[in-house]
Amino acid sequence: TTVPLPDWATVLHTLDLTLTGQDSNDTVFIGLKSSTYFRVRVRACNMIGCSNWTDWATFRTLSACGDGIVYDGEECDDGNLNDLDGCNSLCTIELGWVCSALLEADPSICSAAGIDGVRVGDEECDDCNNL
């Protein structure tokens, strides 16, 4: 398949697919799974032509906070970037909450920690006792 290229493009070719992204410095390829290793080679193209392919190399995608999978030092990842729901937009657990996932690839489920003096979520009160 021929992909029309813009005036400047970087082409990323993995063993099983070719992705095209545009930008000379920060190319973002949407649809690559977080925290995954790929064997890749790269070439750059502009209106004059394309460079040769680089040698094959290994590259790893970084995790993306909000993708619903806890990777790379994230404390939690509930699948969104909302604050005040237990897992904030930086994927850290908020004060007064506990978060966990049933399986490694599941989004974090956050609930009020309780008996900690911090009223969050649907807690009616939290005065640090069981009464």
mmCIF file of all heavy atoms in Angstrom, residues 19-75:
data_model
loop_
_atom_site.group_PDB
_atom_site.id
_atom_site.type_symbol
_atom_site.label_atom_id
_atom_site.label_comp_id
_atom_site.label_asym_id
_atom_site.label_seq_id
_atom_site.Cartn_x
_atom_site.Cartn_y
_atom_site.Cartn_z
ATOM 1 N N LEU A 19 3.936 2.434 10.122
ATOM 2 C CA LEU A 19 3.214 3.586 10.643
ATOM 3 C C LEU A 19 3.864 4.844 10.108
ATOM 4 O O LEU A 19 5.080 4.918 9.977
ATOM 5 C CB LEU A 19 3.291 3.608 12.173
ATOM 6 C CG LEU A 19 2.753 2.360 12.869
ATOM 7 C CD1 LEU A 19 3.157 2.360 14.316
ATOM 8 C CD2 LEU A 19 1.250 2.300 12.743
ATOM 9 N N THR A 20 3.079 5.820 9.797
ATOM 10 C CA THR A 20 3.614 7.085 9.318
ATOM 11 C C THR A 20 3.186 8.184 10.274
ATOM 12 O O THR A 20 2.032 8.268 10.641
ATOM 13 C CB THR A 20 3.079 7.415 7.909
ATOM 14 O OG1 THR A 20 3.401 6.343 7.043
ATOM 15 C CG2 THR A 20 3.685 8.689 7.393
ATOM 16 N N GLY A 21 4.144 8.991 10.676
ATOM 17 C CA GLY A 21 3.837 10.114 11.556
ATOM 18 C C GLY A 21 4.483 11.357 11.003
ATOM 19 O O GLY A 21 5.457 11.280 10.272
ATOM 20 N N GLN A 22 3.939 12.484 11.344
ATOM 21 C CA GLN A 22 4.469 13.733 10.805
ATOM 22 C C GLN A 22 5.013 14.598 11.926
ATOM 23 O O GLN A 22 4.373 14.800 12.922
ATOM 24 C CB GLN A 22 3.378 14.495 10.067
ATOM 25 C CG GLN A 22 3.878 15.788 9.465
ATOM 26 C CD GLN A 22 2.788 16.521 8.727
ATOM 27 O OE1 GLN A 22 1.715 15.989 8.520
ATOM 28 N NE2 GLN A 22 3.052 17.737 8.348
ATOM 29 N N ASP A 23 6.209 15.088 11.781
ATOM 30 C CA ASP A 23 6.866 16.049 12.648
ATOM 31 C C ASP A 23 8.341 15.750 12.614
ATOM 32 O O ASP A 23 8.743 14.591 12.615
ATOM 33 C CB ASP A 23 6.362 15.986 14.084
ATOM 34 C CG ASP A 23 6.726 17.243 14.852
ATOM 35 O OD1 ASP A 23 7.883 17.679 14.743
ATOM 36 O OD2 ASP A 23 5.872 17.781 15.555
ATOM 37 N N SER A 24 9.134 16.755 12.593
ATOM 38 C CA SER A 24 10.562 16.533 12.450
ATOM 39 C C SER A 24 11.235 16.141 13.760
ATOM 40 O O SER A 24 12.279 15.524 13.743
ATOM 41 C CB SER A 24 11.245 17.773 11.875
ATOM 42 O OG SER A 24 11.029 18.877 12.721
ATOM 43 N N ASN A 25 10.662 16.492 14.893
ATOM 44 C CA ASN A 25 11.319 16.192 16.158
ATOM 45 C C ASN A 25 10.540 15.231 17.054
ATOM 46 O O ASN A 25 11.107 14.336 17.643
ATOM 47 C CB ASN A 25 11.584 17.484 16.936
ATOM 48 C CG ASN A 25 12.584 18.368 16.230
ATOM 49 O OD1 ASN A 25 13.567 17.875 15.707
ATOM 50 N ND2 ASN A 25 12.316 19.655 16.193
ATOM 51 N N ASP A 26 9.262 15.435 17.208
ATOM 52 C CA ASP A 26 8.462 14.628 18.116
ATOM 53 C C ASP A 26 7.350 13.928 17.361
ATOM 54 O O ASP A 26 6.251 14.453 17.239
ATOM 55 C CB ASP A 26 7.847 15.488 19.223
ATOM 56 C CG ASP A 26 8.896 16.076 20.137
ATOM 57 O OD1 ASP A 26 9.850 15.362 20.455
ATOM 58 O OD2 ASP A 26 8.744 17.244 20.529
ATOM 59 N N THR A 27 7.634 12.773 16.829
ATOM 60 C CA THR A 27 6.620 12.017 16.112
ATOM 61 C C THR A 27 5.859 11.146 17.099
ATOM 62 O O THR A 27 6.457 10.437 17.895
ATOM 63 C CB THR A 27 7.258 11.154 15.021
ATOM 64 O OG1 THR A 27 7.941 12.015 14.135
ATOM 65 C CG2 THR A 27 6.212 10.378 14.257
ATOM 66 N N VAL A 28 4.558 11.187 17.052
ATOM 67 C CA VAL A 28 3.707 10.397 17.927
ATOM 68 C C VAL A 28 2.978 9.384 17.068
ATOM 69 O O VAL A 28 2.299 9.746 16.115
ATOM 70 C CB VAL A 28 2.696 11.291 18.669
ATOM 71 C CG1 VAL A 28 1.761 10.450 19.515
ATOM 72 C CG2 VAL A 28 3.424 12.320 19.521
ATOM 73 N N PHE A 29 3.114 8.119 17.396
ATOM 74 C CA PHE A 29 2.429 7.060 16.675
ATOM 75 C C PHE A 29 1.292 6.556 17.553
ATOM 76 O O PHE A 29 1.518 5.960 18.600
ATOM 77 C CB PHE A 29 3.393 5.927 16.325
ATOM 78 C CG PHE A 29 4.495 6.367 15.411
ATOM 79 C CD1 PHE A 29 5.764 6.594 15.895
ATOM 80 C CD2 PHE A 29 4.251 6.568 14.068
ATOM 81 C CE1 PHE A 29 6.784 7.011 15.050
ATOM 82 C CE2 PHE A 29 5.257 6.994 13.210
ATOM 83 C CZ PHE A 29 6.531 7.208 13.707
ATOM 84 N N ILE A 30 0.081 6.810 17.141
ATOM 85 C CA ILE A 30 -1.091 6.423 17.921
ATOM 86 C C ILE A 30 -1.398 4.959 17.660
ATOM 87 O O ILE A 30 -1.298 4.475 16.544
ATOM 88 C CB ILE A 30 -2.284 7.319 17.539
ATOM 89 C CG1 ILE A 30 -1.950 8.763 17.913
ATOM 90 C CG2 ILE A 30 -3.568 6.861 18.220
ATOM 91 C CD1 ILE A 30 -2.957 9.773 17.427
ATOM 92 N N GLY A 31 -1.769 4.248 18.719
ATOM 93 C CA GLY A 31 -2.187 2.865 18.569
ATOM 94 C C GLY A 31 -1.136 1.850 18.967
ATOM 95 O O GLY A 31 -1.372 0.655 18.877
ATOM 96 N N LEU A 32 0.043 2.311 19.413
ATOM 97 C CA LEU A 32 1.045 1.368 19.901
ATOM 98 C C LEU A 32 0.781 1.093 21.373
ATOM 99 O O LEU A 32 0.563 2.003 22.159
ATOM 100 C CB LEU A 32 2.460 1.931 19.735
ATOM 101 C CG LEU A 32 2.930 2.153 18.305
ATOM 102 C CD1 LEU A 32 4.345 2.714 18.314
ATOM 103 C CD2 LEU A 32 2.883 0.876 17.506
ATOM 104 N N LYS A 33 0.819 -0.151 21.782
ATOM 105 C CA LYS A 33 0.534 -0.534 23.148
ATOM 106 C C LYS A 33 1.602 0.016 24.097
ATOM 107 O O LYS A 33 2.788 -0.015 23.802
ATOM 108 C CB LYS A 33 0.475 -2.059 23.241
ATOM 109 C CG LYS A 33 0.085 -2.563 24.598
ATOM 110 C CD LYS A 33 -0.019 -4.065 24.622
ATOM 111 C CE LYS A 33 -0.313 -4.537 26.024
ATOM 112 N NZ LYS A 33 -0.270 -5.980 26.135
ATOM 113 N N SER A 34 1.173 0.503 25.253
ATOM 114 C CA SER A 34 2.092 1.040 26.253
ATOM 115 C C SER A 34 3.059 -0.014 26.744
ATOM 116 O O SER A 34 2.729 -1.197 26.831
ATOM 117 C CB SER A 34 1.311 1.565 27.463
ATOM 118 O OG SER A 34 0.540 2.660 27.117
ATOM 119 N N SER A 35 4.248 0.448 27.085
ATOM 120 C CA SER A 35 5.279 -0.372 27.718
ATOM 121 C C SER A 35 5.528 -1.681 26.964
ATOM 122 O O SER A 35 5.581 -2.749 27.542
ATOM 123 C CB SER A 35 4.894 -0.663 29.170
ATOM 124 O OG SER A 35 6.004 -1.151 29.863
ATOM 125 N N THR A 36 5.678 -1.579 25.652
ATOM 126 C CA THR A 36 5.892 -2.740 24.798
ATOM 127 C C THR A 36 7.166 -2.539 23.986
ATOM 128 O O THR A 36 7.471 -1.432 23.564
ATOM 129 C CB THR A 36 4.696 -2.916 23.832
ATOM 130 O OG1 THR A 36 3.512 -3.041 24.619
ATOM 131 C CG2 THR A 36 4.855 -4.155 22.966
ATOM 132 N N TYR A 37 7.909 -3.619 23.786
ATOM 133 C CA TYR A 37 9.117 -3.557 22.969
ATOM 134 C C TYR A 37 8.778 -3.864 21.514
ATOM 135 O O TYR A 37 7.999 -4.762 21.230
ATOM 136 C CB TYR A 37 10.157 -4.565 23.469
ATOM 137 C CG TYR A 37 10.783 -4.155 24.769
ATOM 138 C CD1 TYR A 37 10.238 -4.556 25.976
ATOM 139 C CD2 TYR A 37 11.912 -3.348 24.789
ATOM 140 C CE1 TYR A 37 10.814 -4.176 27.172
ATOM 141 C CE2 TYR A 37 12.500 -2.964 25.977
ATOM 142 C CZ TYR A 37 11.941 -3.374 27.167
ATOM 143 O OH TYR A 37 12.515 -2.988 28.346
ATOM 144 N N PHE A 38 9.364 -3.111 20.596
ATOM 145 C CA PHE A 38 9.188 -3.312 19.168
ATOM 146 C C PHE A 38 10.557 -3.385 18.501
ATOM 147 O O PHE A 38 11.487 -2.709 18.922
ATOM 148 C CB PHE A 38 8.413 -2.145 18.537
ATOM 149 C CG PHE A 38 6.975 -2.053 18.944
ATOM 150 C CD1 PHE A 38 6.592 -1.297 20.039
ATOM 151 C CD2 PHE A 38 6.004 -2.715 18.225
ATOM 152 C CE1 PHE A 38 5.267 -1.209 20.409
ATOM 153 C CE2 PHE A 38 4.672 -2.634 18.583
ATOM 154 C CZ PHE A 38 4.302 -1.880 19.683
ATOM 155 N N ARG A 39 10.676 -4.195 17.468
ATOM 156 C CA ARG A 39 11.849 -4.171 16.588
ATOM 157 C C ARG A 39 11.489 -3.228 15.463
ATOM 158 O O ARG A 39 10.486 -3.421 14.781
ATOM 159 C CB ARG A 39 12.174 -5.562 16.036
ATOM 160 C CG ARG A 39 12.613 -6.561 17.061
ATOM 161 C CD ARG A 39 14.043 -6.396 17.494
ATOM 162 N NE ARG A 39 14.942 -6.618 16.353
ATOM 163 C CZ ARG A 39 16.150 -6.090 16.264
ATOM 164 N NH1 ARG A 39 16.634 -5.348 17.202
ATOM 165 N NH2 ARG A 39 16.892 -6.311 15.207
ATOM 166 N N VAL A 40 12.279 -2.196 15.276
ATOM 167 C CA VAL A 40 11.920 -1.159 14.318
ATOM 168 C C VAL A 40 13.110 -0.736 13.463
ATOM 169 O O VAL A 40 14.266 -0.987 13.789
ATOM 170 C CB VAL A 40 11.381 0.103 15.030
ATOM 171 C CG1 VAL A 40 10.140 -0.205 15.825
ATOM 172 C CG2 VAL A 40 12.435 0.733 15.911
ATOM 173 N N ARG A 41 12.780 -0.092 12.374
ATOM 174 C CA ARG A 41 13.740 0.659 11.589
ATOM 175 C C ARG A 41 13.031 1.921 11.128
ATOM 176 O O ARG A 41 11.808 1.966 11.026
ATOM 177 C CB ARG A 41 14.300 -0.151 10.422
ATOM 178 C CG ARG A 41 13.287 -0.636 9.436
ATOM 179 C CD ARG A 41 13.919 -1.555 8.433
ATOM 180 N NE ARG A 41 12.904 -1.988 7.472
ATOM 181 C CZ ARG A 41 13.180 -2.446 6.288
ATOM 182 N NH1 ARG A 41 14.431 -2.574 5.895
ATOM 183 N NH2 ARG A 41 12.224 -2.823 5.479
ATOM 184 N N VAL A 42 13.786 2.967 10.857
ATOM 185 C CA VAL A 42 13.204 4.277 10.607
ATOM 186 C C VAL A 42 13.848 4.895 9.371
ATOM 187 O O VAL A 42 15.008 4.635 9.067
ATOM 188 C CB VAL A 42 13.449 5.200 11.827
ATOM 189 C CG1 VAL A 42 12.892 6.595 11.587
ATOM 190 C CG2 VAL A 42 12.851 4.605 13.082
ATOM 191 N N ARG A 43 13.074 5.702 8.667
ATOM 192 C CA ARG A 43 13.621 6.546 7.612
ATOM 193 C C ARG A 43 12.832 7.844 7.586
ATOM 194 O O ARG A 43 11.687 7.898 8.019
ATOM 195 C CB ARG A 43 13.604 5.856 6.257
ATOM 196 C CG ARG A 43 12.246 5.711 5.626
ATOM 197 C CD ARG A 43 12.383 5.093 4.260
ATOM 198 N NE ARG A 43 11.073 4.822 3.706
ATOM 199 C CZ ARG A 43 10.890 4.375 2.496
ATOM 200 N NH1 ARG A 43 11.932 4.136 1.719
ATOM 201 N NH2 ARG A 43 9.696 4.149 2.047
ATOM 202 N N ALA A 44 13.458 8.864 7.095
ATOM 203 C CA ALA A 44 12.808 10.173 7.002
ATOM 204 C C ALA A 44 12.548 10.489 5.541
ATOM 205 O O ALA A 44 13.323 10.127 4.665
ATOM 206 C CB ALA A 44 13.696 11.241 7.625
ATOM 207 N N CYS A 45 11.444 11.159 5.286
ATOM 208 C CA CYS A 45 11.072 11.533 3.926
ATOM 209 C C CYS A 45 10.668 13.003 3.895
ATOM 210 O O CYS A 45 10.096 13.520 4.849
ATOM 211 C CB CYS A 45 9.888 10.703 3.435
ATOM 212 S SG CYS A 45 10.190 8.941 3.368
ATOM 213 N N ASN A 46 10.986 13.660 2.788
ATOM 214 C CA ASN A 46 10.490 15.007 2.542
ATOM 215 C C ASN A 46 10.145 15.105 1.067
ATOM 216 O O ASN A 46 10.113 14.087 0.363
ATOM 217 C CB ASN A 46 11.492 16.077 2.987
ATOM 218 C CG ASN A 46 12.805 16.006 2.239
ATOM 219 O OD1 ASN A 46 12.878 15.476 1.128
ATOM 220 N ND2 ASN A 46 13.848 16.537 2.845
ATOM 221 N N MET A 47 9.903 16.304 0.551
ATOM 222 C CA MET A 47 9.463 16.419 -0.841
ATOM 223 C C MET A 47 10.556 16.049 -1.840
ATOM 224 O O MET A 47 10.265 15.787 -2.998
ATOM 225 C CB MET A 47 8.934 17.817 -1.123
ATOM 226 C CG MET A 47 9.881 18.924 -0.882
ATOM 227 S SD MET A 47 8.939 20.443 -1.007
ATOM 228 C CE MET A 47 10.228 21.606 -1.226
ATOM 229 N N ILE A 48 11.802 15.969 -1.403
ATOM 230 C CA ILE A 48 12.893 15.572 -2.294
ATOM 231 C C ILE A 48 12.997 14.052 -2.401
ATOM 232 O O ILE A 48 13.327 13.510 -3.436
ATOM 233 C CB ILE A 48 14.231 16.168 -1.816
ATOM 234 C CG1 ILE A 48 14.158 17.694 -1.875
ATOM 235 C CG2 ILE A 48 15.396 15.642 -2.632
ATOM 236 C CD1 ILE A 48 15.331 18.382 -1.225
ATOM 237 N N GLY A 49 12.694 13.363 -1.347
ATOM 238 C CA GLY A 49 12.781 11.905 -1.345
ATOM 239 C C GLY A 49 12.906 11.362 0.067
ATOM 240 O O GLY A 49 12.664 12.074 1.032
ATOM 241 N N CYS A 50 13.310 10.101 0.172
ATOM 242 C CA CYS A 50 13.418 9.426 1.468
ATOM 243 C C CYS A 50 14.857 8.978 1.704
ATOM 244 O O CYS A 50 15.572 8.617 0.770
ATOM 245 C CB CYS A 50 12.507 8.203 1.514
ATOM 246 S SG CYS A 50 10.753 8.613 1.498
ATOM 247 N N SER A 51 15.240 8.967 2.981
ATOM 248 C CA SER A 51 16.551 8.449 3.356
ATOM 249 C C SER A 51 16.526 6.927 3.296
ATOM 250 O O SER A 51 15.469 6.313 3.137
ATOM 251 C CB SER A 51 16.898 8.902 4.774
ATOM 252 O OG SER A 51 16.037 8.274 5.716
ATOM 253 N N ASN A 52 17.675 6.313 3.442
ATOM 254 C CA ASN A 52 17.739 4.857 3.556
ATOM 255 C C ASN A 52 17.153 4.445 4.898
ATOM 256 O O ASN A 52 17.135 5.220 5.854
ATOM 257 C CB ASN A 52 19.189 4.375 3.459
ATOM 258 C CG ASN A 52 19.773 4.596 2.088
ATOM 259 O OD1 ASN A 52 19.068 4.545 1.082
ATOM 260 N ND2 ASN A 52 21.066 4.863 2.036
ATOM 261 N N TRP A 53 16.717 3.204 4.968
ATOM 262 C CA TRP A 53 16.240 2.666 6.245
ATOM 263 C C TRP A 53 17.416 2.541 7.197
ATOM 264 O O TRP A 53 18.521 2.200 6.798
ATOM 265 C CB TRP A 53 15.610 1.290 6.049
ATOM 266 C CG TRP A 53 14.255 1.330 5.413
ATOM 267 C CD1 TRP A 53 13.965 1.068 4.110
ATOM 268 C CD2 TRP A 53 13.021 1.659 6.039
ATOM 269 N NE1 TRP A 53 12.622 1.206 3.877
ATOM 270 C CE2 TRP A 53 12.016 1.565 5.054
ATOM 271 C CE3 TRP A 53 12.658 2.023 7.325
ATOM 272 C CZ2 TRP A 53 10.677 1.821 5.321
ATOM 273 C CZ3 TRP A 53 11.315 2.275 7.597
ATOM 274 C CH2 TRP A 53 10.349 2.176 6.595
ATOM 275 N N THR A 54 17.179 2.801 8.488
ATOM 276 C CA THR A 54 18.207 2.555 9.492
ATOM 277 C C THR A 54 18.318 1.051 9.719
ATOM 278 O O THR A 54 17.479 0.274 9.240
ATOM 279 C CB THR A 54 17.841 3.218 10.838
ATOM 280 O OG1 THR A 54 16.620 2.629 11.320
ATOM 281 C CG2 THR A 54 17.683 4.713 10.695
ATOM 282 N N ASP A 55 19.339 0.637 10.468
ATOM 283 C CA ASP A 55 19.424 -0.759 10.889
ATOM 284 C C ASP A 55 18.268 -1.052 11.842
ATOM 285 O O ASP A 55 17.716 -0.147 12.477
ATOM 286 C CB ASP A 55 20.756 -1.020 11.602
ATOM 287 C CG ASP A 55 21.951 -0.920 10.667
ATOM 288 O OD1 ASP A 55 21.773 -1.149 9.450
ATOM 289 O OD2 ASP A 55 23.045 -0.606 11.159
ATOM 290 N N TRP A 56 17.928 -2.326 11.964
ATOM 291 C CA TRP A 56 16.887 -2.721 12.905
ATOM 292 C C TRP A 56 17.363 -2.426 14.320
ATOM 293 O O TRP A 56 18.526 -2.623 14.654
ATOM 294 C CB TRP A 56 16.562 -4.209 12.774
ATOM 295 C CG TRP A 56 15.756 -4.520 11.555
ATOM 296 C CD1 TRP A 56 16.233 -4.997 10.368
ATOM 297 C CD2 TRP A 56 14.357 -4.368 11.380
ATOM 298 N NE1 TRP A 56 15.205 -5.143 9.462
ATOM 299 C CE2 TRP A 56 14.039 -4.774 10.058
ATOM 300 C CE3 TRP A 56 13.324 -3.926 12.197
ATOM 301 C CZ2 TRP A 56 12.747 -4.745 9.551
ATOM 302 C CZ3 TRP A 56 12.029 -3.908 11.689
ATOM 303 C CH2 TRP A 56 11.757 -4.318 10.383
ATOM 304 N N ALA A 57 16.475 -1.945 15.149
ATOM 305 C CA ALA A 57 16.794 -1.636 16.543
ATOM 306 C C ALA A 57 15.585 -1.968 17.411
ATOM 307 O O ALA A 57 14.482 -2.157 16.907
ATOM 308 C CB ALA A 57 17.147 -0.161 16.689
ATOM 309 N N THR A 58 15.806 -2.039 18.697
ATOM 310 C CA THR A 58 14.718 -2.283 19.636
ATOM 311 C C THR A 58 14.316 -0.957 20.253
ATOM 312 O O THR A 58 15.161 -0.159 20.638
ATOM 313 C CB THR A 58 15.172 -3.245 20.742
ATOM 314 O OG1 THR A 58 15.580 -4.468 20.136
ATOM 315 C CG2 THR A 58 14.062 -3.521 21.731
ATOM 316 N N PHE A 59 13.013 -0.722 20.302
ATOM 317 C CA PHE A 59 12.537 0.474 20.969
ATOM 318 C C PHE A 59 11.338 0.097 21.823
ATOM 319 O O PHE A 59 10.641 -0.866 21.560
ATOM 320 C CB PHE A 59 12.269 1.568 19.932
ATOM 321 C CG PHE A 59 10.860 2.029 19.758
ATOM 322 C CD1 PHE A 59 10.401 3.131 20.450
ATOM 323 C CD2 PHE A 59 9.997 1.401 18.877
ATOM 324 C CE1 PHE A 59 9.112 3.601 20.259
ATOM 325 C CE2 PHE A 59 8.707 1.856 18.678
ATOM 326 C CZ PHE A 59 8.258 2.961 19.371
ATOM 327 N N ARG A 60 11.153 0.838 22.903
ATOM 328 C CA ARG A 60 10.098 0.544 23.861
ATOM 329 C C ARG A 60 9.195 1.760 23.995
ATOM 330 O O ARG A 60 9.668 2.878 24.186
ATOM 331 C CB ARG A 60 10.719 0.225 25.219
ATOM 332 C CG ARG A 60 9.724 -0.108 26.294
ATOM 333 C CD ARG A 60 10.491 -0.462 27.584
ATOM 334 N NE ARG A 60 9.594 -0.697 28.669
ATOM 335 C CZ ARG A 60 9.190 0.241 29.518
ATOM 336 N NH1 ARG A 60 9.592 1.472 29.381
ATOM 337 N NH2 ARG A 60 8.365 -0.047 30.496
ATOM 338 N N THR A 61 7.911 1.526 23.897
ATOM 339 C CA THR A 61 6.956 2.607 24.108
ATOM 340 C C THR A 61 6.836 2.878 25.605
ATOM 341 O O THR A 61 6.987 1.976 26.425
ATOM 342 C CB THR A 61 5.576 2.247 23.541
ATOM 343 O OG1 THR A 61 5.155 1.000 24.109
ATOM 344 C CG2 THR A 61 5.613 2.141 22.040
ATOM 345 N N LEU A 62 6.585 4.105 25.950
ATOM 346 C CA LEU A 62 6.397 4.481 27.342
ATOM 347 C C LEU A 62 4.944 4.267 27.733
ATOM 348 O O LEU A 62 4.067 4.177 26.881
ATOM 349 C CB LEU A 62 6.782 5.944 27.549
ATOM 350 C CG LEU A 62 8.226 6.290 27.226
ATOM 351 C CD1 LEU A 62 8.456 7.785 27.372
ATOM 352 C CD2 LEU A 62 9.180 5.508 28.105
ATOM 353 N N SER A 63 4.732 4.202 29.026
ATOM 354 C CA SER A 63 3.351 4.058 29.476
ATOM 355 C C SER A 63 2.614 5.371 29.292
ATOM 356 O O SER A 63 3.211 6.438 29.214
ATOM 357 C CB SER A 63 3.325 3.647 30.952
ATOM 358 O OG SER A 63 3.888 4.663 31.738
ATOM 359 N N ALA A 64 1.323 5.269 29.210
ATOM 360 C CA ALA A 64 0.480 6.452 29.049
ATOM 361 C C ALA A 64 -0.525 6.478 30.186
ATOM 362 O O ALA A 64 -1.400 5.614 30.263
ATOM 363 C CB ALA A 64 -0.237 6.410 27.702
ATOM 364 N N CYS A 65 -0.385 7.431 31.074
ATOM 365 C CA CYS A 65 -1.336 7.568 32.164
ATOM 366 C C CYS A 65 -2.723 7.760 31.564
ATOM 367 O O CYS A 65 -2.915 8.547 30.640
ATOM 368 C CB CYS A 65 -0.959 8.768 33.022
ATOM 369 S SG CYS A 65 -2.052 9.010 34.433
ATOM 370 N N GLY A 66 -3.675 6.997 32.060
ATOM 371 C CA GLY A 66 -5.045 7.092 31.571
ATOM 372 C C GLY A 66 -5.427 5.990 30.612
ATOM 373 O O GLY A 66 -6.554 5.935 30.138
ATOM 374 N N ASP A 67 -4.481 5.057 30.350
ATOM 375 C CA ASP A 67 -4.807 3.963 29.424
ATOM 376 C C ASP A 67 -5.405 2.748 30.134
ATOM 377 O O ASP A 67 -5.769 1.771 29.498
ATOM 378 C CB ASP A 67 -3.601 3.555 28.587
ATOM 379 C CG ASP A 67 -2.467 2.933 29.393
ATOM 380 O OD1 ASP A 67 -2.585 2.826 30.632
ATOM 381 O OD2 ASP A 67 -1.453 2.563 28.781
ATOM 382 N N GLY A 68 -5.510 2.798 31.458
ATOM 383 C CA GLY A 68 -6.157 1.718 32.199
ATOM 384 C C GLY A 68 -5.251 0.557 32.552
ATOM 385 O O GLY A 68 -5.724 -0.467 33.041
ATOM 386 N N ILE A 69 -3.939 0.696 32.356
ATOM 387 C CA ILE A 69 -2.991 -0.361 32.702
ATOM 388 C C ILE A 69 -1.845 0.264 33.487
ATOM 389 O O ILE A 69 -1.247 1.246 33.047
ATOM 390 C CB ILE A 69 -2.440 -1.065 31.446
ATOM 391 C CG1 ILE A 69 -3.586 -1.633 30.613
ATOM 392 C CG2 ILE A 69 -1.467 -2.171 31.824
ATOM 393 C CD1 ILE A 69 -3.167 -2.160 29.257
ATOM 394 N N VAL A 70 -1.537 -0.283 34.676
ATOM 395 C CA VAL A 70 -0.485 0.261 35.524
ATOM 396 C C VAL A 70 0.871 -0.208 35.004
ATOM 397 O O VAL A 70 1.154 -1.405 34.960
ATOM 398 C CB VAL A 70 -0.678 -0.177 36.994
ATOM 399 C CG1 VAL A 70 0.458 0.343 37.865
ATOM 400 C CG2 VAL A 70 -2.022 0.297 37.518
ATOM 401 N N TYR A 71 1.693 0.758 34.567
ATOM 402 C CA TYR A 71 3.040 0.491 34.051
ATOM 403 C C TYR A 71 4.013 1.535 34.565
ATOM 404 O O TYR A 71 3.616 2.640 34.932
ATOM 405 C CB TYR A 71 3.068 0.606 32.514
ATOM 406 C CG TYR A 71 2.548 -0.560 31.731
ATOM 407 C CD1 TYR A 71 1.572 -0.360 30.773
ATOM 408 C CD2 TYR A 71 3.049 -1.839 31.897
ATOM 409 C CE1 TYR A 71 1.099 -1.409 30.000
ATOM 410 C CE2 TYR A 71 2.572 -2.893 31.136
ATOM 411 C CZ TYR A 71 1.603 -2.670 30.192
ATOM 412 O OH TYR A 71 1.140 -3.700 29.437
ATOM 413 N N ASP A 72 5.271 1.225 34.498
ATOM 414 C CA ASP A 72 6.360 2.190 34.634
ATOM 415 C C ASP A 72 6.246 3.142 35.815
ATOM 416 O O ASP A 72 6.342 4.356 35.678
ATOM 417 C CB ASP A 72 6.487 3.027 33.351
ATOM 418 C CG ASP A 72 6.839 2.184 32.146
ATOM 419 O OD1 ASP A 72 7.544 1.181 32.313
ATOM 420 O OD2 ASP A 72 6.403 2.533 31.042
ATOM 421 N N GLY A 73 6.043 2.614 36.982
ATOM 422 C CA GLY A 73 6.043 3.462 38.172
ATOM 423 C C GLY A 73 4.723 4.148 38.473
ATOM 424 O O GLY A 73 4.634 4.912 39.437
ATOM 425 N N GLU A 74 3.707 3.921 37.659
ATOM 426 C CA GLU A 74 2.392 4.481 37.984
ATOM 427 C C GLU A 74 1.889 3.790 39.251
ATOM 428 O O GLU A 74 2.018 2.579 39.394
ATOM 429 C CB GLU A 74 1.395 4.231 36.856
ATOM 430 C CG GLU A 74 1.706 4.939 35.565
ATOM 431 C CD GLU A 74 0.766 4.545 34.438
ATOM 432 O OE1 GLU A 74 0.214 3.425 34.460
ATOM 433 O OE2 GLU A 74 0.593 5.369 33.537
ATOM 434 N N GLU A 75 1.335 4.545 40.168
ATOM 435 C CA GLU A 75 0.742 3.956 41.368
ATOM 436 C C GLU A 75 -0.619 3.348 41.056
ATOM 437 O O GLU A 75 -1.057 2.398 41.704
ATOM 438 C CB GLU A 75 0.585 5.013 42.460
ATOM 439 C CG GLU A 75 1.897 5.521 43.012
ATOM 440 C CD GLU A 75 1.688 6.596 44.072
ATOM 441 O OE1 GLU A 75 0.542 6.836 44.510
ATOM 442 O OE2 GLU A 75 2.696 7.209 44.455
#
